[in-house]
Amino acid sequence: MSEEQICKKHGDVSVWITCKHVGEGSADTVIFSENKDALCFECARNFDNLTELDVVSMCEECLKDFTAKLMIGSQTFANLNNRIMGIEHLKKK
């Protein structure tokens, strides 16, 4: 499912469903899925308990920007593996 919305920064873009932590940019970790959703590790662990109030939509380009920030902040490959999983799903068109 690919839904588009208007992002103030990027214009007409695809959106992903994210937990509020990722959507607000406060997450230290992120897991991407092939279903175009992205959750922090804590929300992914408690996936069955998430409600509508726990998720937001996020522009795909803003999500890429946030992911780049996490990648740069990780400093080592080992840390990167502990912070980001499933990034190959973000690159798919």
Side-chain angles (χ1 to χ4, degrees):
M1 179 178 101
S2 182
E3 187 175 321
E4 292 206 355
Q5 290 182 358
I6 302 288
C7 171
K8 291 179 184 178
K9 184 176 179 183
H10 297 106
D12 243 359
V13 292
S14 280
V15 293
W16 283 58
I17 301 301
T18 70
C19 67
K20 286 196 297 189
H21 308 112
V22 172
E24 294 170 354
S26 63
D28 291 332
T29 59
V30 63
I31 300 173
F32 300 97
S33 86
E34 66 276 0
N35 297 323
K36 293 191 94 172
D37 57 56
L39 305 172
C40 70
F41 286 6
E42 187 63 34
C43 287
R45 225 174 292 151
N46 295 313
F47 181 77
D48 290 334
N49 296 323
L50 293 180
T51 68
E52 287 180 6
L53 301 174
D54 299 317
V55 297
V56 297
S57 62
M58 185 176 193
C59 157
E60 186 171 64
E61 295 304 315
C62 288
L63 184 55
K64 288 177 182 177
D65 292 346
F66 175 67
T67 303
K69 179 181 151 189
L70 283 180
M71 292 173 79
I72 291 166
S74 65
Q75 297 180 352
T76 68
F77 187 70
N79 287 344
L80 180 61
N81 285 335
N82 291 326
R83 296 183 89 182
I84 299 173
M85 296 176 71
I87 195 166
E88 66 273 10
H89 301 299
L90 183 59
K91 295 179 182 181
K92 287 188 177 181
K93 297 205 178 216

